[in-house]
């Protein structure tokens, strides 16, 4: 049996595709000849990501970057309408843009929670709502929500992120049965500590709230991972490729944790 993904010619939207897990996933999809739309705010970073992706061995796929702030409903619409103008269809959505502040609960304001919920929870929900009518028309769609282990295993100094992720797990599972009627699959990947810019920022915030050095925090974090290593963004990308391929055609409403064995559970 060969693991052919058969994704060539499909079109994918990747939110937060200019860095970290999103960029790795955009590169992986492009390398499978998928037309790729990356959305993020910072124009310069976006342009650099497009250059990096285009420099991969040519696959006849196309890539565009769309500057969008996914906390804004109108920008979500812009991403979807520009994708349809450029490529005429959408097959795959990778919901990935997220950012939540870490810190001690009593020091976090309402804004820390509202910002996290608005970007990641509502941002993911809005994108699903915006793409589903198009996926329904073609009776085929593949959605992956990049969530995170704190949804299932909350931590006291990461409650804006944890509450966002718990709600997104509920949403992913809750909507999966309805979407299945139109052959649209929606799954979640929950990364553990993954080697990205965001992980560095979180390490700084966590270290500060715990009153230890960043190096101490990192050493403790790695020690708590049974496999003893931080996840690489490419590992999340590889699983996303599998989940959006026909190899996973019977998988929907699932969450897969990629965390070095940090959170075993039944
Ligand atoms: N890294 C980890 O350890 C880890 C663990 C668990 C879960 N996750 C989840 O994985 C996802 C990706 O994380 P990452 O570590 O790859 O993050 P990252 O390296 O910080 O990249 C985040 C991406 O999202 C974009 N973004 C941020 N705010 C945005 C906004 N308002 N509108 C549009 N785009 C926005 C960023 O570009 P701009 O700033 O230019 O907009 C960037 O492209 C997140 O949902 C995160 O919660 C990560």
């Amino acid at each position: 049996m060969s693991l052919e993904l058969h994704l060539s010619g499909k079109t994918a939207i990747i939110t937060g595709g200019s860095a970290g897990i999103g960029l790795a996933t955009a590169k992986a999809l492009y390398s499978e000849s998928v037309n790729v739309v990356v959305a993020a705010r910072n124009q310069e970073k976006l342009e650099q990501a497009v250059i990096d992706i285009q420099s991969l061995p040519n696959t006849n796929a196309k890539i565009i970057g769309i500057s969008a702030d996914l906390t804004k409903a109108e920008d979500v619409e812009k991403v979807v309408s520009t994708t349809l103008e450029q490529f005429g269809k959408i097959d795959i959505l990778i919901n990935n843009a997220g950012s939540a502040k870490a810190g001690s609960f009593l020091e976090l304001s309402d804004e820390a929670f509202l910002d996290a919920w608005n970007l990641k929870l509502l941002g993911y929900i809005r994108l699903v709502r915006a793409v589903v009518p198009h996926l329904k028309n073609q009776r085929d769609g593949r959605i992956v929500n990049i969530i995170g282990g704190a949804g299932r295993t909350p931590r006291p100094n990461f409650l804006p992120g944890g509450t966002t992720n718990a709600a997104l797990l509920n949403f992913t599972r809750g909507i999966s049965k309805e979407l299945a009627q139109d052959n649209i699959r929606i799954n979640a990947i929950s990364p553990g500590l993954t080697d990205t810019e965001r992980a560095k920022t979180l390490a700084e915030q966590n270290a500060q709230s715990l009153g230890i050095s960043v190096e101490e925090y990192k050493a403790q974090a790695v020690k708590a991972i049974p496999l003893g290593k931080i996840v690489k963004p490419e590992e999340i990308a590889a699983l996303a490729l599998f989940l959006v391929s026909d190899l996973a055609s019977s998988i929907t409403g699932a969450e897969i944790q990629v965390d070095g064995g940090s959170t075993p559970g039944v």
Side-chain angles (χ1 to χ4, degrees):
M1 181 190 177
S2 68
L3 294 182
E4 294 290 330
L5 296 172
H6 296 298
L7 291 171
S8 175
K10 298 206 177 294
T11 296
I13 295 173
I14 299 111
T15 70
S18 66
I21 293 168
L23 178 58
T25 306
K27 285 179 172 174
L29 286 164
Y30 183 83
S31 297
E32 291 294 327
S33 302
V34 174
N35 293 317
V36 160
V37 175
V38 288
R41 290 165 304 176
N42 184 295
Q43 186 75 39
E44 229 172 274
K45 254 170 55 184
L46 202 54
E47 282 167 15
Q48 188 56 52
V50 169
I51 292 168
D52 289 352
I53 295 168
Q54 271 169 340
S55 73
L56 295 168
N58 193 311
T59 60
N60 297 325
K62 294 200 178 85
I63 159 132
I64 59 168
I66 303 176
S67 176
D69 180 346
L70 295 167
T71 60
K72 296 181 178 158
E74 61 271 25
D75 281 18
V76 169
E77 293 301 329
K78 179 174 80 174
V79 172
V80 172
S81 61
T82 311
T83 305
L84 290 169
E85 272 161 36
Q86 295 285 323
F87 297 115
K89 64 175 183 141
I90 300 164
D91 303 292
I92 295 166
L93 167 65
I94 310 287
N95 260 329
N96 165 77
S99 153
K101 214 165 174 224
S104 149
F105 172 65
L106 290 179
E107 282 163 23
L108 291 176
S109 62
D110 280 2
E111 276 67 40
F113 285 86
L114 289 169
D115 288 352
W117 296 340
N118 196 27
L119 169 59
K120 190 160 164 176
L121 177 57
L122 267 180
Y124 283 24
I125 289 173
R126 285 183 177 135
L127 260 155
V128 170
R129 197 192 287 122
V131 300
V132 158
H134 308 284
L135 304 180
K136 268 188 176 181
N137 280 343
Q138 61 195 35
R139 286 199 55 80
D140 189 325
R142 299 113 194 258
I143 302 171
V144 171
N145 289 334
I146 306 295
I147 300 188
R152 192 177 283 284
T153 311
R155 297 192 301 274
N157 58 341
F158 193 57
L159 291 172
T163 51
T164 302
N165 290 345
L168 275 173
L169 270 178
N170 189 294
F171 170 68
T172 305
R173 291 227 151 102
I175 197 68
S176 65
K177 262 194 181 177
E178 183 177 327
L179 297 183
Q181 291 164 14
D182 292 291
N183 193 33
I184 301 167
R185 296 187 294 104
I186 182 165
N187 289 296
I189 300 177
S190 284
L193 183 60
T194 306
D195 189 14
T196 66
E197 278 306 311
R198 174 172 163 64
K200 288 183 192 131
T201 309
L202 281 179
E204 285 159 15
Q205 291 172 352
N206 276 309
Q208 196 186 0
S209 85
L210 296 169
I212 56 176
S213 74
V214 175
E215 291 320 310
E216 270 176 292
Y217 176 79
K218 280 186 189 161
Q220 282 180 14
V222 174
K223 212 171 157 200
I225 302 171
L227 284 175
K229 64 187 174 77
I230 294 175
V231 179
K232 294 195 190 95
E234 292 74 20
E235 296 179 76
I236 309 294
L239 179 57
L241 278 195
F242 170 76
L243 286 175
V244 300
S245 78
D246 288 340
L247 294 171
S249 69
S250 299
I251 302 179
T252 195
E255 180 210 16
I256 302 179
Q257 287 165 314
V258 184
D259 62 3
S262 300
T263 50
V266 289

